[in-house]
Amino acid sequence: MKAKLGMSPIAWWNDDLVELSDDVSLEECLRQSRSAGFTGMEKGRRFPDDPSVMLPILKAADVTLCGGWFSGTLVDEDLATNQARIAPTIELFKAVDAPCIVYGEVGRSIQGKRDIPLAQKPKLADDEMKAYARKVTQFGEWCAEQGMPLSYHHHMAAVVETEAELDAFMKNSGEGIPLLLDAGHLAFAGGNVLRAIDNHHARINHVHVKDVRMDVINRLDRSRQSFLDAVALGAFTVPGDGSLDFGAIVQKFADYGYEGWFVVEAEQDPKPNPPLRMAQVGYKELMRVMTAAGYTVETQGFPNR
């Protein structure tokens, strides 16, 4: 079985908490990640949107674009509005041969609002969840028809956060919307990561290997503290530096024959957690558990073409 290891630039630049950002260029971010061993990087705010500009940067760094976030609003807005907004990203990602676009629902979400506590996160009634899941499926099918698959990201402080909400979303959606399984977000939400893989492995097409510091999470006052407060306090980290057993998690993916990207997405304060050092820690741990699970990790970055 083959696997690819990538990173998210959120370890270097945090879009919601600018104080948790390392003031480095795109080129330096890519250099550090590649030097740690990672062959892919998800799109961040400092990436150019013109493929003729992006491709030479990726080639020089020997890195491929392994995905990137789209802020969807399908819980409130119509298909056409979201189709128009995602169309340029589809064309860009096709041009640079990215594997998928990560769909993150921001409609009603409080994930970017530091003044709203976790306890006030949005919830959908059963009929709302059914309608929403069908709508996202339609959107996923349309994106695939345009030549770029989506990967649905369950997320803290959003309408699909808990394991029960993920189960309901998956039950009422279809194969037209694949799943991004994020170990850290599910664990933060109190879910069972291994059970979620058991239940939904057939539709998982992208994986975020985000670790958590459960001592930080367990100390949160969810009636007062927000998702961004949790991030600032250090709720997330890289594999090998947190509480999750990635040996068991990666083995579970291997058991189901998952092949594809495992992406480290670990937003935290770069001052006590320098991104290069954390990238090295994450890569070392992932290589250890990948090897034990029988994966061959691909080492080629930018494709030879």
Side-chain angles (χ1 to χ4, degrees):
M1 293 181 298
K2 293 182 179 180
K4 300 178 181 181
L5 298 183
M7 280 201 76
S8 166
I10 202 166
W12 286 265
W13 328 303
N14 192 299
D15 292 345
D16 294 309
L17 296 170
V18 293
E19 66 270 27
L20 300 190
S21 294
D22 199 12
D23 189 22
V24 300
S25 66
L26 169 60
E27 289 80 2
E28 178 62 15
C29 169
L30 295 174
R31 187 197 68 76
Q32 290 186 17
S33 175
R34 188 68 180 94
S35 72
F38 294 95
T39 57
M41 179 69 78
E42 289 194 344
K43 187 176 183 293
R45 69 172 184 264
R46 293 187 179 179
F47 277 72
D49 291 322
D50 182 342
S52 68
V53 178
M54 187 191 294
L55 281 169
I57 295 173
L58 294 175
K59 184 176 183 179
D62 190 31
V63 169
T64 187
L65 192 75
C66 62
W69 176 278
F70 170 74
S71 294
T73 56
L74 287 169
V75 73
D76 288 322
E77 297 188 305
D78 60 19
L79 285 168
T81 299
N82 281 270
Q83 287 168 344
R85 283 199 302 109
I86 202 173
T89 304
I90 289 175
E91 294 310 308
L92 171 63
F93 277 38
K94 286 165 58 178
V96 300
D97 200 26
C100 64
I101 296 173
V102 175
Y103 181 97
E105 182 61 57
V106 299
R108 307 187 198 180
S109 174
I110 60 169
Q111 66 201 63
K113 299 177 180 177
R114 197 161 187 178
D115 59 331
I116 302 181
L118 284 159
Q120 294 181 25
K121 83 117 193 153
K123 297 180 181 179
L124 299 183
D126 289 347
D127 58 340
E128 289 182 300
M129 180 64 81
K130 290 177 182 177
Y132 172 67
R134 288 195 294 267
K135 195 175 184 182
V136 178
T137 303
Q138 287 181 272
F139 188 63
E141 291 169 345
W142 179 84
C143 289
E145 289 169 359
Q146 311 312 305
M148 180 54 55
L150 295 184
S151 192
Y152 186 90
H153 192 336
H154 56 96
H155 201 286
M156 286 298 301
V159 293
V160 178
E161 172 192 275
T162 67
E163 186 179 358
E165 288 169 336
L166 176 59
D167 291 344
F169 175 80
M170 296 297 285
K171 177 182 177 181
N172 291 288
S173 60
E175 293 183 3
I177 180 67
L179 175 66
L180 183 158
L181 196 289
D182 188 305
H185 277 276
L186 197 61
F188 191 153
N192 184 308
V193 177
L194 299 181
R195 182 170 61 210
I197 299 170
D198 281 334
N199 290 338
H200 307 302
H201 61 90
R203 280 169 57 190
I204 295 172
N205 72 337
H206 206 57
V207 176
H208 277 178
V209 279
K210 184 197 295 283
D211 208 341
V212 293
R213 297 185 178 99
M214 287 306 300
D215 58 332
V216 174
I217 291 171
N218 292 335
R219 288 198 302 267
L220 291 171
D221 181 348
R222 299 190 184 212
S223 68
R224 292 191 310 108
Q225 292 175 294
S226 67
F227 172 70
L228 292 182
D229 286 335
V231 172
L233 288 167
F236 296 126
T237 186
V238 299
D241 187 55
S243 306
L244 299 183
D245 181 356
F246 276 96
I249 291 169
V250 168
Q251 184 62 59
K252 182 70 73 171
F253 279 112
D255 291 345
Y256 288 112
Y258 173 83
E259 291 188 296
W261 285 101
F262 291 85
V263 180
V264 174
E265 187 204 33
E267 56 264 51
Q268 56 186 324
D269 189 338
K271 292 180 179 65
N273 306 282
L276 174 57
R277 179 169 62 81
M278 300 313 291
Q280 293 166 341
V281 170
Y283 186 82
K284 180 179 179 181
E285 175 65 4
L286 286 175
M287 286 300 294
R288 183 185 73 81
V289 298
M290 293 279 175
T291 301
Y295 278 107
T296 297
V297 176
E298 296 189 15
T299 57
Q300 179 178 314
F302 193 84
N304 296 322
R305 59 182 178 184

